[in-house]
């Protein structure tokens, strides 16, 4: 099969398409013929040699894809049939003609959705859903500050916050991106390049601050984030775009607000997570649960119906641009230059 490859870490120009062995589905896995994949910041980091794939994952870039079921490994439970249209949450391998996926990490593609739109959903929307519902447990009426509001995760988070009957506000770097986020439901938006977003957030919330911050920027935002975080607020870090080194009285100021800080990475979650609980005869009983499968299942039940025609409210992925695979270097350059509003 054909897949995107790079011989050594570096810039987008290092990417090219080559022939590689087609993967074979293992136990409980489905083979998917890929029609479309989508870019994520993690892909750029991996290309630079700064974010290796988890143990056992494909070294091919690509954390989400959409296509058709092409085959099965042993032990599959019959959830899917050959020819079914699916979208997949991946640990790697999406920039290729075929990819293998645990069957519980697949979701059906809504009937009226293109493969390009479907490929824009799994990583970005499941990340946002996980942050809001599995990590900080958003509540109705809360105010959520979403950094990088025009990114794939940001576009999803705005709509998911609205679905939870909470209030999304965003930061972005251009007026065009702020207008796009307003059209998606953002109650307010601030240009981080020209405005002090913490002052604007405090003015918007009449001095109270926000309940939740979704932050992929990190170091350069810490003071402003703390300025506008409500007492007892939750701040979740899911990226380090500006680095992870903080100087100053960060902990003292977080402590003074009784704030809580959470960190989360979706890609590195193992397919199985080991937990212990008290057994009937003393001691602990070990049990396993599938984190990503549980996440995909919850999203499929509660959010996917709203991505279908006729749903109320109707949610939608936002596709900025579509490239053929042989122009993957151009696509990566576009993301590095922050040209996109929504997914590439």
């Amino acid at each position: 099969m054909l897949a995107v490859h790079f011989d050594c870490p570096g810039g987008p120009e290092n990417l090219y398409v080559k022939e590689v062995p087609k993967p074979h589905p293992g136990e409980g896995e489905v083979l998917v013929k890929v029609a479309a994949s989508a870019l994520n910041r993690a892909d750029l980091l991996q290309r630079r040699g700064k974010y290796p794939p988890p143990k056992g994952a494909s070294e091919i870039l690509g954390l989400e894809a959409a296509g058709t079921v092409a085959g099965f490994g042993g032990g599959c439970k019959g959830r899917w049939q050959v020819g079914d249209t699916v979208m997949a949450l991946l640990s790697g391998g999406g920039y290729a003609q075929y990819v293998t996926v645990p069957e519980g990490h697949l979701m059906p593609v809504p009937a009226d959705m293109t493969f390009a739109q479907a490929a824009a959903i799994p990583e970005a929307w499941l990340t946002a859903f996980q942050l809001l519902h599995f990590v900080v447990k958003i509540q109705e009426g809360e105010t959520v500050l979403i950094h990088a509001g025009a990114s794939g995760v940001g576009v999803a988070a705005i709509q998911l916050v609205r679905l939870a009957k909470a209030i999304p506000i965003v930061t972005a770097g251009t007026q065009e991106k702020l207008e796009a986020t307003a059209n998606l439901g953002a109650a307010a938006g601030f240009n981080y390049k020209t405005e002090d977003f913490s002052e604007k957030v405090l003015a918007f919330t009449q001095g109270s601050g926000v309940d939740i911050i979704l932050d992929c920027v990190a170091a350069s935002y810490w003071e402003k984030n703390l300025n506008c975080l409500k007492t007892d607020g939750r701040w979740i870090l899911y990226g380090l775009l500006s680095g992870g080194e903080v100087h100053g009285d960060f902990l003292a100021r977080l402590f003074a607000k009784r704030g809580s800080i959470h960190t989360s990475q979706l890609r590195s979650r193992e397919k199985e997570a080991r937990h212990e609980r008290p057994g009937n005869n003393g001691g602990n009983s070990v049990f396993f649960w599938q984190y990503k499968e549980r996440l995909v299942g919850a999203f499929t039940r509660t959010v996917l119906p709203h991505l279908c025609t006729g749903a109320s409210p109707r949610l939608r992925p936002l596709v900025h641009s579509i490239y053929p695979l042989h122009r993957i270097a151009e696509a990566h350059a576009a993301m590095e230059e922050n040209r996109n509003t929504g997914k590439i």
Side-chain angles (χ1 to χ4, degrees), residues 275-296:
H275 278 246
E276 295 186 358
R277 61 186 175 191
N280 294 330
N281 300 316
N284 291 331
S285 297
V286 175
F287 68 100
F288 293 90
W289 53 275
Q290 306 277 346
Y291 183 90
K292 288 184 179 179
E293 185 169 337
R294 187 165 65 94
L295 176 65
V296 169

Side-chain angles (χ1 to χ4, degrees), residues 143-219:
T143 303
V144 184
L145 173 60
I146 303 163
H147 291 308
S151 68
V153 173
V155 163
I158 291 166
Q159 297 176 76
L160 292 174
V161 169
R162 282 294 187 191
L163 186 64
K165 299 182 180 179
I167 304 164
I169 57 180
V170 304
T171 64
T174 69
Q175 185 59 35
E176 291 76 15
K177 289 184 177 183
L178 291 174
E179 289 173 2
T181 61
N183 290 335
L184 291 167
F190 311 113
N191 188 325
Y192 67 86
K193 294 180 180 178
T194 61
E195 302 175 293
D196 183 331
F197 71 76
S198 65
E199 292 180 357
K200 295 291 185 178
V201 166
L202 287 171
F204 177 82
T205 59
Q206 299 181 321
S208 65
V210 295
D211 299 280
I212 297 168
I213 299 174
L214 301 189
D215 182 16
C216 58
V217 180

